[in-house]
Amino acid sequence: MRRQTVILVLISLLLLLLLIPIRLAIMILLDISDISEILPRSASFLPIIGSVLSAFIVGFLVKIVALKLYKKEKPARIAFLAIFFIGLLISAYTINVPRIGSSPQKVIYYSLYENEVYVNPYLGEISLPFEEMDWTKEYGLRPTGYLKREEGIVNGTGGFVFQNITSVYMGIFVYPSPHKSPKCENALRDLEEMLKNKGWQSVEVSPEALEKRNFIGRLINATMLQEGNKAVYLECSYVMAYGRLIILYGEKEELTSSPP
């Protein structure tokens, strides 16, 4: 019995080494497949589902080994549950950043999480002041031709890129590489032209404000417009080989006194 247990432990450790590669493979497959279109758009969803599935796969492989060694179902089930939860615990410490290559999902993740100030080591939750909410369609500010999007309300008082704005609507839209397609710039210009046709006026975005931005890519174009007490900030950047369009909408004082 002791010999069987030692063998099972050694094999389990070897299989746990495959946990991260299996999770990466699952995340990549989900990210590039059509399935990703029906999954929640949360930037943390792919790492979570990848962690659960990879822990399940490793646990199932250990269960097969335990059945071969013990010839009984009970110790095999115990081995599966033990390795499954160990796998989840290991993933909790590595779930915070998507470890996949360049992708629209990763562009969104880093756009929101690049300045995290607190990470829960058990759940991988980051105290980001961002609440998901679809709003661009209602306000007539949803562009077209994007690959992925994330929308919500940001309260930037938590030490992130948007540090001094509260209750401002934010949209992130990811487009193909600007080197291959001008879709990001075109979307910005279309929105700008549409707003001007409705009477919105251009507001200068000072160079000093743009220099303070903590870009994870390269700025292509940025503009700000206002009407009455409302303002819209539009920004197109080159990020991780993709075009990223950011839209901010809120009170003029919030956006013009401390630009994003």
Side-chain angles (χ1 to χ4, degrees):
M1 179 68 71
R2 177 178 295 181
R3 180 172 176 272
Q4 293 169 322
T5 302
V6 170
I7 293 175
L8 181 62
V9 170
L10 292 176
I11 294 177
S12 297
L13 291 175
L14 290 174
L15 289 173
L16 282 171
L17 293 176
L18 300 176
L19 184 70
I20 302 303
I22 292 174
R23 191 183 73 183
L24 293 179
I26 292 172
M27 291 168 61
I28 291 173
L29 288 174
L30 289 175
D31 195 54
I32 65 176
S33 69
D34 294 336
I35 297 177
S36 63
E37 297 299 323
I38 63 175
L39 295 176
R41 290 182 286 104
S42 171
S44 61
F45 186 78
L46 282 182
I48 291 174
I49 193 172
S51 296
V52 173
L53 289 178
S54 60
F56 178 86
I57 291 172
V58 172
F60 184 76
L61 292 175
V62 170
K63 179 180 179 180
I64 293 176
V65 174
L67 280 173
K68 295 289 185 180
L69 291 173
Y70 294 101
K71 311 296 183 182
K72 295 180 181 179
E73 184 68 27
K74 184 177 180 179
R77 286 199 302 267
I78 294 174
F80 166 77
L81 292 174
I83 297 302
F84 176 73
F85 286 111
I86 290 174
L88 290 179
L89 184 62
I90 292 174
S91 292
Y93 285 91
T94 57
I95 196 176
N96 302 311
V97 179
R99 311 289 184 177
I100 56 179
S102 178
S103 69
Q105 190 73 24
K106 197 170 184 180
V107 172
I108 291 175
Y109 184 94
Y110 278 102
S111 297
L112 293 174
Y113 292 70
E114 57 177 326
N115 287 328
E116 68 247 29
V117 293
Y118 173 74
V119 179
N120 184 315
Y122 299 101
L123 301 178
E125 295 177 350
I126 300 175
S127 55
L128 180 72
F130 180 84
E131 179 183 354
E132 291 183 20
M133 178 184 297
D134 287 345
W135 63 271
T136 54
K137 188 174 182 179
E138 178 182 351
Y139 288 92
L141 290 172
R142 180 170 296 179
T144 59
Y146 56 85
L147 301 173
K148 281 188 178 292
R149 65 183 170 91
E150 188 73 62
E151 310 180 31
I153 297 179
V154 61
N155 290 304
T157 57
F160 297 87
V161 172
F162 310 100
Q163 294 184 12
N164 300 311
I165 57 177
T166 56
S167 300
V168 171
Y169 291 99
M170 177 182 180
I172 303 173
F173 298 82
V174 184
Y175 289 86
S177 169
H179 295 314
K180 298 179 181 180
S181 170
K183 287 186 175 182
C184 182
E185 287 185 272
N186 290 344
L188 185 149
R189 293 194 185 107
D190 289 343
L191 287 172
E192 182 180 16
E193 182 178 351
M194 181 268 294
L195 289 171
K196 286 182 176 179
N197 290 336
K198 292 183 177 180
W200 289 66
Q201 302 296 318
S202 295
V203 180
E204 181 182 2
V205 182
S206 68
E208 293 79 11
L210 291 176
E211 288 173 2
K212 293 179 182 178
R213 290 297 310 276
N214 185 7
F215 288 111
I216 57 176
R218 175 176 58 83
L219 176 67
I220 296 175
N221 195 6
T223 186
M224 186 176 290
L225 303 98
Q226 70 176 55
E227 181 188 42
N229 64 341
K230 297 294 184 181
V232 172
Y233 174 79
L234 305 172
E235 171 194 300
C236 180
S237 300
Y238 179 78
V239 180
M240 300 180 186
Y242 287 90
R244 182 192 65 182
L245 176 65
I246 286 182
I247 304 173
L248 295 179
Y249 172 80
E251 297 293 328
K252 179 177 64 176
E253 290 76 12
E254 293 285 351
L255 297 185
T256 56
S257 62
S258 180

